[in-house]
Amino acid sequence: MNPLRSKLDALIAQTDLVVTDQQREQLVGYVELLNKWNKAYNLTSVRDPQEMLVKHILDSIVVSPYLQGQRFIDVGTGPGLPGIPLAIMNPDREFVLLDSLGKRIRFIKQVLHELRIDNVTALQSRVEEFKPEHGFDGVLSRAFASMLDMVEWCHHLPCAKQGVFLALKGQRPQEELNSLPEWCSVIDIKALKVPELEGERHLVILSRKG
């Protein structure tokens, strides 16, 4: 068996996630493409594909149980994180992956083509210039700037009523929470368990007040 697949299976076994055979193959395929393109395009500082499984794949898909709704946008997606792993985990939901760098969007489009992922739209744009026709149920960000920047730059993206911001963070970001604007409220902070990842991970869920 592919050593990456064996490693992924061992990691998933340490979680409560339900991941089909096809999804596992797509997640491994994504890591293989990321590793291949990374040599020329420098898409991530993580060089070892086994490490990518922990730091990129598991770190993304542990958020999947907390997604509510149908339409999601991953802002500052980089090489497609957490958007591509989450889209693989949720084939019945729609994802828009937004990044300002063309090389990242080109990579994502290649991934979508090769792995036959059809629930993702990849767009090159700065987030503050992106004007969607419809709001999103969830606005995701992983390696984005501070949460203050996230909510200020992305305030126009969630649906008016039920849309939320989902910020993937390391340690509980108390200083960032203290600096959030008046119109923004913290719904929940989830401590995430990522197998074999050193350090803490948290998912901060925010919404508009009222």
Side-chain angles (χ1 to χ4, degrees), residues 69-114:
Q70 202 57 34
R71 280 171 46 81
F72 298 87
I73 182 166
D74 178 9
V75 294
T77 186
L81 296 163
I84 286 178
L86 286 174
I88 289 170
M89 290 288 289
N90 297 274
D92 54 338
R93 289 169 158 152
E94 289 175 59
F95 291 82
V96 172
L97 274 53
L98 199 71
D99 202 276
S100 59
L101 272 191
K103 68 176 182 180
R104 294 171 182 161
I105 296 300
R106 282 194 296 279
F107 167 69
I108 291 167
K109 285 182 175 176
Q110 188 64 26
V111 168
L112 303 179
H113 172 69
E114 290 200 29

